[in-house]
Amino acid sequence: AQSVAQPEDQVNVAEGNPLTVKCTYSVSGNPYLFWYVQYPNRGLQFLLKYITGDNLVKGSYGFEAEFNKSQTSFHLKKPSALVSDSALYFCAVRAYGNNRLAFGKGNQVVVIP
Amino acid sequence: NAGVTQTPKFQVLKTGQSMTLQCAQDMNHNSMYWYRQDPGMGLRLIYYSASEGTTDKGEVPNGYNVSRLNKREFSLRLESAAPSQTSVYFCASSVHREETQYFGPGTRLLVL
């Protein structure tokens, strides 16, 4: 079985401060990890993914994520949050050889001006 | 290049009515997916099609049927809608089943 936990329902951060959205996963074998963002009344937009290689992955809009195998985590980070980053963020995992993605429940990020 | 498109954007049904949600992609992707999104539950896979001519059940297939009409189009049918099927439905596609999935804008369905 594969699963994702996003422990915080909502993350509040002041504009200009660092943003972190947490994700831990459970999967048999090597994980493929993804982050998606959803703006109100829109579909999910792909941000970044980890397949193999460097543990630090850089993606769209200045976001990055760090893969930590020992802690089974894949936290999303941005050095300086913008008000426009306010959205719902989803972490997803897939085991190597498995074509099904397992999504977390999502984290609402609110960036306060 | 429109990516993944879905119709309709919004629909209201009465219990027992049927309807088909349409999805099309213009990215020449082989794999297509249908998800539903409910508050606090993330996205759950209903059905997927790894390639043209094949379909498989996902996590929550009961009450739904799908048709992979051709490489571009993948439709989701509700034969007899129930209030529990009130949700937002997303279609997605990927080059192959193990690649990154790209999502459509969604269809909001309300079943009364």
Side-chain angles (χ1 to χ4, degrees), chain B residues 84-98:
Chain B
S84 60
Q85 294 178 305
T86 292
S87 189
V88 181
Y89 291 84
F90 288 102
C91 178
S93 70
S94 61
V95 174
H96 294 291
R97 60 185 185 178
E98 296 185 352

Side-chain angles (χ1 to χ4, degrees), chain B residues 26-83:
Chain B
D26 62 1
M27 297 179 283
N28 201 34
H29 285 175
N30 293 291
S31 301
M32 299 184 74
Y33 312 82
W34 276 106
Y35 291 90
R36 61 177 289 172
Q37 182 183 25
D38 301 292
M41 300 188 72
L43 275 75
R44 293 181 292 170
L45 183 65
I46 305 171
Y47 270 94
Y48 68 97
S49 171
S51 60
E52 187 178 357
T54 68
T55 60
D56 286 287
K57 294 179 180 179
E59 184 183 353
V60 288
N62 292 344
Y64 305 95
N65 284 301
V66 290
S67 295
R68 184 73 183 267
L69 305 170
N70 48 55
K71 190 172 184 178
R72 289 187 65 249
E73 298 172 290
F74 189 38
S75 63
L76 178 71
R77 182 160 179 85
L78 286 70
E79 291 291 352
S80 178

Side-chain angles (χ1 to χ4, degrees), chain B residues 93-109:
Chain B
S93 70
S94 61
V95 174
H96 294 291
R97 60 185 185 178
E98 296 185 352
E99 297 291 330
T100 302
Q101 295 180 22
Y102 295 91
F103 286 78
T107 293
R108 292 182 178 274
L109 177 65

Side-chain angles (χ1 to χ4, degrees), chain A residues 11-71:
Chain A
V11 175
N12 296 324
V13 61
E15 186 177 23
N17 281 4
L19 169 63
T20 298
V21 188
K22 295 180 180 178
C23 170
T24 58
Y25 66 90
S26 174
V27 71
S28 298
N30 293 326
Y32 288 11
L33 292 152
F34 301 82
W35 275 102
Y36 286 87
V37 60
Q38 184 181 30
Y39 298 101
N41 300 313
R42 304 287 293 275
L44 277 69
Q45 295 180 28
F46 169 71
L47 277 179
L48 51 78
K49 67 180 178 184
Y50 172 83
I51 302 297
T52 186
D54 194 348
N55 289 345
L56 184 63
V57 179
K58 294 188 183 296
S60 305
Y61 312 121
F63 283 94
E64 58 187 29
E66 186 166 11
F67 170 63
N68 187 317
K69 188 172 183 177
S70 63
Q71 297 186 4

